[in-house]
Amino acid sequence: MEISMKFKTADSNSQGIAVESEVAPLSFTRTDAFNELEQLIGLKQVKRNIAEVTAFSLIQKQRSHKQLKVCPTALHAVFKGNPGTGKTTVARILGKIFHDIGILTKGHLVEAERADLVGEYIGHTAQKTKEFIKKSPGGILFVDEAYTLAQGGEKDFGKEAVATLVKSMEDNRDNIIIILAGYCREMDEFLNSNPGLRSRFPVQIDFADYDREELFHIALQMYKERDYELSNKCRWRLKSKLEEFAKSRHPHSGNARYVRNMVEKSIRLQALRIVDREYLTRRDLMIIEEADLP
Ligand SMILES: Nc1ncnc2c1ncn2[C@@H]1O[C@H](COP(=O)(O)OP(=O)(O)OP(=O)(O)O)[C@@H](O)[C@H]1O
Ligand SMILES: [Mg+2]
């Protein structure tokens, strides 16, 4: 998708709130952050959803400059998917995209999970949650495994954390984006258990498991980024290993995270294989052999 338009660049004032300065041409599809998103393997639907949300935000800004009615731009999102499907990676890139186009003044990602937000006694939870919210203005507050906030029963303080988050969304209307992330089914249950939440998090993005081709390409990309190459035999071995993995995997077995662990382990095994050699060529240092695959 190619969207190109004239747009005002954003600076931030002393409170970190976006203020417009001079007009400069900008197409978000040409920003570095958008390229980074494009370079992720697969995730076709995710990329499309992000493009949609970004285009929407830009157009609403343009409309407001022309004194047209603006649809309320609630950009709070739910990212649903199994572990290792790229949720955190995409959230971090989204922060950068929103920063580049002037929706967020900083674009940083603040990661929180249940233990960061929920306290042990009355009043502790609101205090802990507020501390995280304080770190977030101008960026994204990313709550991982958010459904655990609703899993402790009636007396659990998780509910208080949710209420504090919702309150902060209303108080900081334009300057924080909250993303709730977690496994599909659990997140659906969580949203169903709290009807107010669904409408407050209008952007819902599903992260599918990677298929075997995607897993293979993710592995190749990871080696390349790290300046490693695979021998031909190793390539075949890796391919069949990942096919096996894709066929027999458990939903929580890690997707791209499994691939990353394997890549990193093989790099350590290669080091062990060659470390005692007297002389190492540049190629020796780069090549991963079949025997290096864990
Ligand atoms: N599409 C992709 N292309 C390349 N690398 C990817 C892709 N998706 C994920 N990765 C890599 O896989 C690793 C795990 O991804 P990430 O941490 O974003 O997953 P996650 O969905 O947040 O997982 P979790 O639920 O376990 O936190 C990261 O190193 C990331 O760079
Ligand atoms: Mg994550």
Side-chain angles (χ1 to χ4, degrees), residues 36-37 39-43 47 79-92 111 142 144-145 181-183 207 210 214 217-219 221-222 225-226 252 254-261 264:
E36 210 183 316
L37 179 70
Q39 258 145 45
L40 292 174
I41 309 288
L43 297 174
K47 290 171 181 171
F79 282 11
K80 295 189 283 186
N82 284 326
T85 46
K87 299 183 295 296
T88 307
T89 306
V90 169
R92 187 164 288 120
E111 288 184 71
F142 182 86
D144 221 350
E145 293 180 48
Y183 310 145
F207 289 70
Y210 294 113
E214 289 166 340
H217 283 107
I218 288 171
Q221 193 182 63
M222 286 177 177
E225 277 167 6
R226 290 163 176 75
H252 296 176
N255 279 283
R257 187 179 299 285
Y258 168 85
V259 175
R260 192 175 84 188
N261 290 339
E264 287 172 353

Side-chain angles (χ1 to χ4, degrees), residues 1 5 15-16 82 84 87 97 119 128 131 147 150 158-159 173 176 187 202-203 238 248 254 256 260 266 272 278 294:
M1 190 189 324
M5 62 183 62
Q15 287 110 45
N82 284 326
K87 299 183 295 296
I97 295 178
K128 283 183 88 172
E131 266 163 38
Y147 57 88
K159 286 200 171 57
R173 280 204 87 97
I176 295 184
M187 285 309 286
V203 181
L238 175 68
S248 61
R260 192 175 84 188
S266 69
L272 200 57
E278 228 156 79

Side-chain angles (χ1 to χ4, degrees), residues 126-144:
Q127 179 198 331
K128 283 183 88 172
T129 305
K130 280 181 194 156
E131 266 163 38
F132 265 83
I133 294 167
K134 260 196 231 150
K135 298 183 200 166
S136 311
I140 293 180
L141 176 57
F142 182 86
V143 184
D144 221 350

